[in-house]
Amino acid sequence: MTTLARATRKPAKAPGESKKGVRGRGSVPTVSGDVKCVKPSGKGGESPLPSTPAGVTDSLQFVTPAVRERLARLGILRLADLALHLPLRYEDETALVTIADAISGTTVQVEGRVVESKVSCRPRRQLICRVEDESGSLTMRFFNFYPSQQRALAARARVRLIGEIRQGFFGAEMIHPRFRVLRGEAPLPDALTPVYPTTAGLSQDSLRKLVARALRDVDLAETLPEPLRQQINLEPFAEAVRLLHQPPPQVNATSLQERSHPAWQRLKFDELLAQQLSMRLHYLRRSRQRAPALRSHGGLSRQLVESLPFGLTGAQVRALDEIRADLARPHPMQRLLQGDVGSGKTIVAALAALQAIESGYQVAVMAPTEILAEQHYRKFAHWLALLGVDVAWLSGSVRKKERDQALERLASGNTALAVGTHALFQEQVLFRNLGLAIVDEQHRFGVRQRLMLRMKGGQTNAQPHQLMMSATPIPRTLAMSFYADLDVSVIDELPPGRMPVVTKLVADSRRDEVLARVRDACASGRQAYWVCPLIEESEALQLQTAMDTYERLQREFSELRIGLAHGRMRSAEKAAVMNAFQAGEIQLLVATTVIEVGVDVPNASLMVIEHADRMGLSQLHQLRGRVGRGTQSSACILLYQAMLSELARERLRIIYENSDGFEVARLDLKLRGPGEILGARQSGVPMLRLADLESDMKLLEAARRVAPKLVASHPDLVECHLARWLGGRQEYLRV
Ligand code: ADP
Ligand code: MG
């Protein structure tokens, strides 16, 4: 008999190992643990959750409630989840080294006898055991241990240890090694040992046993049609799962550790496929709903285009054509309009809105922030006023009486278009016949708001069309994954005549030179932004810093008209400041990052960003996009504090070297991972545990190619695949 233990209460997961671990599992709502075999009922494709063949239940009834509760913490609710609970890494227990031969700093397995075991209380309570083999001795130290472990490690016990060996003050040491007390024969295993993500109270040994049991009982049926599987050159599913949990002796250890082994490829592919399939099904389900076919004569749009002081770019025309074709269909459009800051998405949205209005329908335009919404309102009102179209402004800053009137005109259908922030979603906003909803910076909205808006179609049963816009340029891989349930139009061309923004990195110690530049720019009739540092820890401190900066700059530039805009201002105040800046009454605008989106002042040609090292890359890129909107050359000065961390230095280098938002986003994705870039957690998109969007690009492409075909030709396999990977969860994804 042997016992395997780990003398710690912490999960058996070393720091830094958790990246691909249980992340994501817990972040999506889960439903009941059991998956029953239900045959599809009623309408096709409405996906019930079958997974196991009749007679076999996929439940964890055989474990105690306590263990079930621990498994649930890991997102394991069914046998299928156990089978897909894949090792974090593997340990090589197949070989022993002698203590004398062990190289300091490496992880090794040694075997020996405990010659001394004691609990010391200084400098802190710890269990110290000396272990000897024929070549030498080492000290084990445990800072957390159970009495049972202390007893097991009494003098004379024969033990096998795995851990990192270090030369300490008292000779060789292992801190918190994994140990196994040997009794009788204990042959070395002949294959790698999997190490699982786990949680308190669930040992690696128990998990291994549970997984073995799951592998025996669970349905590991293939979900890819054979010809397809061979065509994309993937391992059979069941074999791949077995290999990853119980690697045979001859397996290539490196490819297993690095997750490049064909078995890993198969599992990553399946995960990506599940994501694509579930999003594809939602897309199809929505596209079967009805929407008003907006087929207008185009009179108003033509008038607007003719009144513009510029011609549309080729990219704008292409995007508009795609949107128009969608709007003319009797099913809801689900399209994302993507384009870098300043690429001219707003006019495209306005022309799309006119198509709805001409067809006798109403339009909602919404934005995440008051400032952005107001910018939209101003533009739409300006453009549409020329055409005699009434535009309503719904915002927190509008007085109740005016607001009520606006709501009334919306309900009666007299107002064709409403712009607002979240206020637009509030219960009392009713449209007579909403035909199109335009959502800017859609990734900032959660699932819920989007759903609520869709329910406001008015008297008709039809759904409004949806146009989402995003200025957060998303790398292609991420878009493929995250927006698999949307059609995407990209404006990949900036309007002509834009001067590129020159980015400069300046150490904070050279602030005087920066002040001189601001003075020069304003003296020559241009305007500038001064962006205050982001202070994430405290909003109060952030506000304080903005106030201080404002006062300091006022003393510095007594000759300039300076304004201050920050997130805690009342909307009316903020709007007044922004209007004054727009009108040129304010020369220098001191602002927190509230100006990140939506400000469009072509005469502003200089931006100073303080403590740029604290900001995210996409944020810096968005900020920088606020200048360079006019015809004069523009600059963005990034002030940084000396003593930059490696990461901060890398980030500043990226923003300095790249002006293309897509490239910035791609590099950002590499540095930070997709969740943070898109706020993907709240989006309802299934998170990836195994696959990596950057390195598994080929698999993602294959999954994306295959998903529509499978949905069309093998709905039964699709159901099994989704049940296996998402369980009951897909019902909670985007609606
Ligand atoms: P974004 O895509 O960031 O929302 P906007 O729609 O705010 O960009 O457009 C940025 C600026 O470019 C606006 O002032 C807009 O009027 C102007 N603009 C849009 N399209 C063109 C074009 N084809 N030619 C010249 N200027 C344009
Ligand atoms: Mg915009």
Side-chain angles (χ1 to χ4, degrees):
M1 263 298 288
T2 60
T3 49
L4 181 73
R6 191 182 164 88
T8 169
R9 284 173 181 278
K10 294 212 182 87
K13 190 171 59 177
E17 269 185 345
S18 62
K19 193 164 170 250
K20 299 242 168 77
V22 293
R23 180 186 73 175
R25 270 272 155 144
S27 63
V28 182
T30 52
V31 282
S32 88
D34 294 358
V35 173
K36 301 207 179 58
C37 190
V38 188
K39 274 288 132 218
S41 61
K43 290 166 278 176
E46 291 291 318
S47 174
L49 316 163
S51 95
T52 41
V56 181
T57 63
D58 185 18
S59 75
L60 297 173
Q61 292 308 324
F62 60 92
V63 301
T64 63
V67 172
R68 213 176 308 146
E69 189 269 320
R70 282 168 209 154
L71 288 171
R73 256 187 266 150
L74 295 168
I76 300 171
L77 306 170
R78 314 163 302 160
L79 279 180
D81 298 330
L82 262 177
L84 294 178
H85 190 65
L86 294 169
L88 268 180
R89 59 188 171 86
Y90 297 86
E91 243 158 25
D92 188 352
E93 297 180 2
T94 61
L96 288 174
V97 297
T98 61
I99 292 173
D101 285 346
I103 298 167
S104 181
T106 61
T107 297
V108 292
Q109 178 170 240
V110 300
E111 189 176 311
R113 206 171 271 287
V114 177
V115 291
E116 188 189 356
S117 179
K118 64 175 185 202
V119 174
S120 153
C121 287
R122 256 174 295 165
R124 52 190 275 213
R125 196 175 126 83
Q126 51 184 294
L127 173 62
I128 301 175
C129 305
R130 285 195 64 73
V131 176
E132 253 179 33
D133 70 3
E134 66 281 5
S135 74
S137 73
L138 65 72
T139 307
M140 288 196 278
R141 287 178 198 278
F142 299 98
F143 300 107
N144 294 298
F145 52 93
Y146 299 111
S148 59
Q149 291 169 326
Q150 186 186 346
R151 281 193 300 276
L153 288 172
R156 301 195 52 74
R158 206 151 65 80
V159 288
R160 205 173 274 164
L161 321 174
I162 291 191
E164 189 181 326
I165 195 156
R166 291 212 164 272
Q167 284 305 319
F169 191 66
F170 302 104
E173 272 192 359
M174 275 191 191
I175 313 276
H176 280 264
R178 285 210 304 130
F179 68 90
R180 185 188 285 265
V181 176
L182 305 175
R183 296 188 185 90
E185 282 292 293
L188 290 169
D190 58 3
L192 295 180
T193 311
V195 180
Y196 293 99
T198 189
T199 183
L202 197 59
S203 73
Q204 288 293 327
D205 232 20
S206 329
L207 256 175
R208 253 172 242 144
K209 284 188 188 126
L210 287 167
V211 168
R213 161 111 195 222
L215 290 181
R216 210 177 59 221
D217 293 346
V218 80
D219 174 23
L220 295 178
E222 185 55 67
T223 52
L224 290 180
E226 192 55 20
L228 187 70
R229 183 184 72 73
Q230 290 185 9
Q231 192 194 323
I232 30 188
N233 203 9
L234 292 168
E235 301 280 285
F237 175 74
E239 282 171 34
V241 172
R242 291 216 160 85
L243 184 139
L244 293 178
H245 287 296
Q246 297 161 349
Q250 71 279 10
V251 75
N252 178 322
T254 314
S255 69
L256 208 56
Q257 295 282 18
E258 290 175 354
R259 301 192 169 201
S260 58
H261 190 281
W264 276 118
Q265 299 288 308
R266 171 63 206 251
L267 271 288
K268 289 178 186 182
F269 174 85
D270 276 22
E271 180 182 47
L272 289 164
L273 181 64
Q275 190 190 47
Q276 293 290 322
L277 288 173
S278 88
M279 294 174 88
R280 180 85 200 156
L281 285 181
H282 281 275
Y283 174 85
L284 291 174
R285 200 172 303 170
R286 283 194 317 221
S287 58
R288 276 197 294 270
Q289 293 170 336
R290 298 204 56 79
L294 307 173
R295 299 194 183 99
S296 71
H297 46 84
L300 291 177
S301 333
R302 248 193 316 277
Q303 254 177 283
L304 175 53
V305 170
E306 278 159 18
S307 75
L308 291 174
F310 51 78
L312 298 180
T313 63
Q316 284 173 315
V317 171
R318 269 196 305 280
L320 192 57
D321 285 347
E322 288 167 350
I323 294 166
R324 283 189 166 144
D326 281 359
L327 292 176
R329 297 175 60 241
H331 303 288
M333 170 168 76
Q334 314 172 52
R335 187 169 286 277
L336 174 73
L337 176 61
Q338 236 203 306
D340 208 342
V341 261
S343 60
K345 295 183 289 296
T346 323
I347 186 65
V348 173
L351 290 166
L354 283 178
Q355 179 154 335
I357 294 166
E358 285 166 357
S359 312
Y361 283 86
Q362 291 171 300
V363 178
V365 178
M366 52 205 168
T369 69
E370 187 91 15
I371 286 187
L372 185 51
E374 168 139 23
Q375 290 272 335
H376 281 323
Y377 170 66
R378 208 177 293 131
K379 280 192 184 165
F380 275 85
H382 169 72
W383 285 326
L384 302 197
L386 305 171
L387 311 172
V389 174
D390 190 27
V391 173
W393 170 227
L394 303 172
S395 104
S397 56
V398 175
R399 256 179 277 117
K400 183 167 181 329
K401 200 171 140 219
E402 288 168 43
R403 214 177 115 80
D404 286 348
Q405 281 170 0
L407 290 172
E408 211 176 282
R409 279 182 299 148
L410 273 178
S412 65
N414 289 333
T415 291
L417 185 142
V419 186
T421 56
H422 296 241
L424 198 60
F425 307 105
Q426 281 170 10
E427 293 299 313
Q428 68 267 39
V429 184
L430 283 177
F431 292 87
R432 198 173 75 83
N433 56 356
L434 182 62
L436 169 64
I438 298 174
V439 188
D440 201 4
E441 293 294 319
Q442 70 91 27
H443 66 274
R444 292 175 182 229
F445 290 86
V447 180
R448 231 165 55 82
Q449 283 108 330
R450 271 183 266 157
L451 176 64
M452 282 167 69
L453 190 78
R454 223 171 296 121
M455 295 191 299
K456 288 181 185 294
Q459 309 146 336
T460 58
N461 251 337
Q463 301 282 323
H465 295 276
Q466 275 194 81
L467 177 64
M468 286 153 265
M469 300 196 281
S470 172
T472 304
I474 292 161
R476 200 168 66 94
T477 42
L478 195 49
M480 273 170 66
S481 167
F482 191 79
Y483 294 133
D485 61 344
L486 296 174
D487 297 307
V488 181
S489 296
V490 182
I491 305 185
D492 51 6
E493 182 185 354
L494 289 182
R498 289 279 163 80
M499 298 292 283
V501 179
V502 177
T503 302
K504 287 188 189 308
L505 299 179
V506 179
D508 198 53
S509 52
R510 287 169 52 203
R511 179 176 278 267
D512 284 350
E513 296 166 39
V514 176
L515 292 174
R517 270 199 80 147
V518 172
R519 188 171 277 127
D520 285 352
C522 292
S524 61
R526 280 168 287 146
Q527 289 165 278
Y529 297 98
W530 190 289
V531 182
C532 299
L534 175 71
I535 298 168
E536 274 180 343
E537 308 84 51
S538 153
E539 207 186 333
L541 205 56
Q542 163 122 24
L543 184 60
Q544 185 60 48
T545 310
M547 300 284 204
D548 292 348
T549 309
Y550 176 58
E551 280 166 21
R552 200 157 37 78
L553 290 173
Q554 270 187 323
R555 280 196 301 275
E556 189 69 40
F557 300 121
S558 50
E559 77 278 19
L560 296 185
R561 296 180 303 277
I562 306 181
L564 171 65
H566 59 74
R568 296 311 301 271
M569 277 167 118
R570 283 210 317 273
S571 353
E573 273 179 284
K574 203 157 51 187
V577 174
M578 301 310 288
N579 286 340
F581 189 61
Q582 190 109 41
E585 291 152 20
I586 287 174
Q587 294 164 285
L588 175 63
L589 181 66
V590 179
T592 55
T593 49
V594 294
I595 60 162
E596 185 188 340
V597 282
V599 181
D600 188 15
V601 181
N603 190 45
S605 63
L606 179 63
M607 174 175 287
V608 179
I609 303 180
E610 274 198 85
H611 236 315
D613 44 298
R614 284 192 184 162
M615 292 189 199
L617 280 183
S618 299
Q619 193 171 28
L620 285 173
H621 181 71
Q622 295 282 322
L623 282 169
R624 179 169 65 175
R626 300 299 122 202
V627 289
R629 302 201 146 212
T631 44
Q632 70 274 55
S633 66
S634 300
C636 178
I637 297 177
L638 305 179
L639 281 173
Y640 64 87
Q641 304 287 311
M643 305 285 284
L644 285 179
S645 72
E646 198 61 42
L647 181 66
R649 192 185 302 273
E650 178 61 17
R651 290 219 304 240
L652 289 180
R653 195 182 61 73
I654 290 172
I655 202 83
Y656 174 70
E657 287 178 357
N658 296 280
S659 58
D660 177 0
F662 281 85
E663 194 53 23
V664 170
R666 195 181 67 79
L667 297 165
D668 198 17
L669 174 66
K670 251 181 154 160
L671 279 184
R672 291 196 300 161
E676 291 194 48
I677 293 188
L678 290 168
R681 268 167 209 292
Q682 55 144 11
S683 71
V685 176
M687 298 287 284
L688 297 169
R689 291 178 293 138
L690 308 174
D692 177 280
L693 291 179
E694 187 79 11
S695 57
D696 298 321
M697 178 69 195
K698 285 237 152 52
L699 293 173
L700 174 59
E701 277 170 356
R704 188 172 165 86
R705 206 173 52 238
V706 163
K709 291 186 199 161
L710 275 182
V711 169
S713 64
H714 290 85
D716 48 335
L717 292 181
V718 167
E719 265 173 29
C720 287
H721 193 87
L722 286 175
R724 173 178 289 159
W725 282 90
L726 300 179
R729 278 172 283 233
Q730 69 262 44
E731 296 308 317
Y732 286 87
L733 303 181
R734 291 184 181 176
V735 187

